[in-house]
Amino acid sequence: MRAVVYSGYGVVPELAQVADPSCAADGVVIAVGASGVCRSDWHAWKGHDPVDLPHIGGHELAGVIAQAGPQVTRWRAGDRVTVPFACGCGQCEFCLAGEAQVCPRQTQPGFTGPGSFAELVAVRAADTNLVGLPDAVDFVAAACLGCRFATAFRAVTAHGRIRAGDWLAVHGCGGVGLSAVMIGVALGAQVVAVDVSAAALDRARELGAAFTVPGSADPAVAIAEITGGGAHVSVDALGSPATAACSVRCLRRRGRHVQVGLLLDGPVPLPMDLVVARELEIYGSHGMAARDYRPMMAMVADGRLRPGLLTGRVIDLADAGRALAAMDAPSRDAAGMTVISVAVSPGGV
Ligand SMILES: [Zn+2]
Ligand SMILES: [Zn+2]
């Protein structure tokens, strides 16, 4: 098959011919239809989140099952599917409880093994990890569901428990943040979006944010004024000491902070004095397990959520390396998600 191979950290990856992945007894091999290019891929490619080299990145995928292992009961070749970025083992107490997003033995295509910047990608424990795609959802729109969009959905709904009329603050308007804006608006929340980039704030307004706050001022003060006392729910979609603390400080009494942005540099201080005095709730959110996709997929299929609006450019596999390199400029995220489209041959490969 053809795949985009990282030969070294920061070296622009090239399209190469490599061996097809093998199919585990409990797994599938998916013919990739589309694969998002995410900042997490960029972190792996740069070596911030180390991977075994040479490596094939890509974790935001949708496609068609080309081959299913003999132990797979729920899926067969030809099914259109996507997967969460964190794939559970299917056997531990967390997976059996439906919480594969925190499986201690999770695999992540594109990080722990070869990913979806390729014509084929293997996924294990298929009965635990695959999500069926409704016909109404195309591969390019579906490609961002497994990472940024699903992560935002779970942050806003399961942890944030957002209700119509609530104030939702979103710190950082890249892929996850803009997804959170769209989801909050669709659920009837009043959204305040924060970013240092004017272009990102423009996108947030286009997606329905009622207010935008430049990240340069103290956003917590501005949010308290706009909302008359603070946000009911606040999401740090960026992941930095400043945005995490600001997200906690901007909350209304009894509000809920959800940390989504990865804090790769280690622990960060949070204002725990406010957490006590205002009875705030603090959550970490790590993707979304396949079994929890149903309500989100229903909203995507009937058009209440339109992840396709978050797509900036659709490119070929051969351009994936250049798309990763373009992420060296942080402002690149404001232009929307880049998605690789791969031609899927009918009936698999
Ligand atoms: Zn991602
Ligand atoms: Zn597990």
Side-chain angles (χ1 to χ4, degrees):
M1 67 167 180
R2 294 182 310 148
V4 177
V5 179
Y6 304 0
S7 57
Y9 293 131
V11 178
V12 177
E14 305 264 357
L15 195 57
Q17 199 70 33
V18 301
D20 289 358
S22 55
C23 185
D26 69 346
V28 294
V29 171
I30 297 171
V32 177
S35 181
V37 183
C38 175
R39 190 150 283 277
S40 303
D41 294 310
W42 179 82
H43 281 301
W45 171 59
K46 292 298 247 187
H48 308 154
D49 185 8
V51 291
D52 289 336
L53 296 170
H55 181 71
I56 302 168
H59 60 282
E60 306 190 342
L61 66 112
V64 177
I65 297 177
Q67 187 186 352
Q71 293 172 9
V72 177
T73 61
R74 296 180 50 217
W75 308 96
R76 63 175 106 169
D79 288 346
R80 299 171 77 251
V81 293
T82 185
V83 292
F85 74 85
C87 293
C89 70
Q91 294 165 358
C92 72
E93 65 173 285
F94 301 99
C95 286
L96 293 177
E99 308 283 7
Q101 78 279 359
V102 290
C103 171
R105 290 187 284 150
Q106 66 190 257
T107 50
Q108 300 182 358
F111 299 99
T112 61
S116 55
F117 295 161
E119 290 174 316
L120 297 168
V121 63
V123 174
R124 68 167 190 174
D127 285 338
T128 297
N129 294 313
L130 297 193
V131 178
L133 277 184
D135 290 340
V137 182
D138 65 43
F139 291 141
V140 169
C144 68
L145 292 179
C147 175
R148 291 171 277 192
F149 205 84
T151 297
F153 188 85
R154 187 149 180 281
V156 170
T157 60
H159 297 304
R161 308 193 303 278
I162 201 87
R163 294 169 308 187
D166 281 354
W167 286 102
L168 169 66
V170 177
H171 303 260
C173 293
V176 173
L178 291 175
S179 300
V181 169
M182 179 188 286
I183 292 158
V185 169
L187 294 171
Q190 307 177 82
V191 177
V192 184
V194 184
D195 202 287
V196 293
S197 154
L201 293 181
D202 287 346
R203 286 292 291 134
R205 263 192 301 275
E206 287 166 19
L207 294 169
F211 294 89
T212 56
V213 174
S216 52
D218 183 352
V221 172
I223 291 168
E225 275 175 24
I226 290 167
T227 60
H232 297 86
V233 179
S234 181
V235 174
D236 175 13
L238 181 77
S240 75
T243 51
C246 184
S247 176
V248 174
R249 287 194 294 111
C250 83
L251 286 172
R252 213 175 195 84
R253 284 155 200 278
R254 309 223 58 210
R256 297 175 286 283
H257 160 75
V258 190
Q259 186 65 41
V260 172
L262 301 174
L263 294 158
L264 293 176
D265 292 332
V268 304
L270 289 181
M272 293 303 283
D273 52 333
L274 294 184
V275 173
V276 175
R278 298 179 182 173
E279 288 202 349
L280 308 179
E281 296 173 51
I282 307 286
Y283 293 94
S285 197
H286 189 251
M288 181 163 81
R291 70 135 193 203
D292 293 330
Y293 271 58
R294 193 181 296 270
M296 178 182 80
M297 202 60 91
M299 291 180 76
V300 173
D302 70 17
R304 278 175 292 165
L305 293 175
R306 298 169 66 195
L309 292 180
L310 302 173
T311 304
R313 288 191 309 150
V314 178
I315 62 172
D316 292 331
L317 204 50
D319 295 323
R322 280 190 291 278
L324 269 182
M327 285 188 155
D328 286 351
S331 59
R332 190 70 197 78
D333 289 359
M337 301 185 187
T338 297
V339 180
I340 300 163
S341 178
V342 186
V344 177
S345 54
V349 176

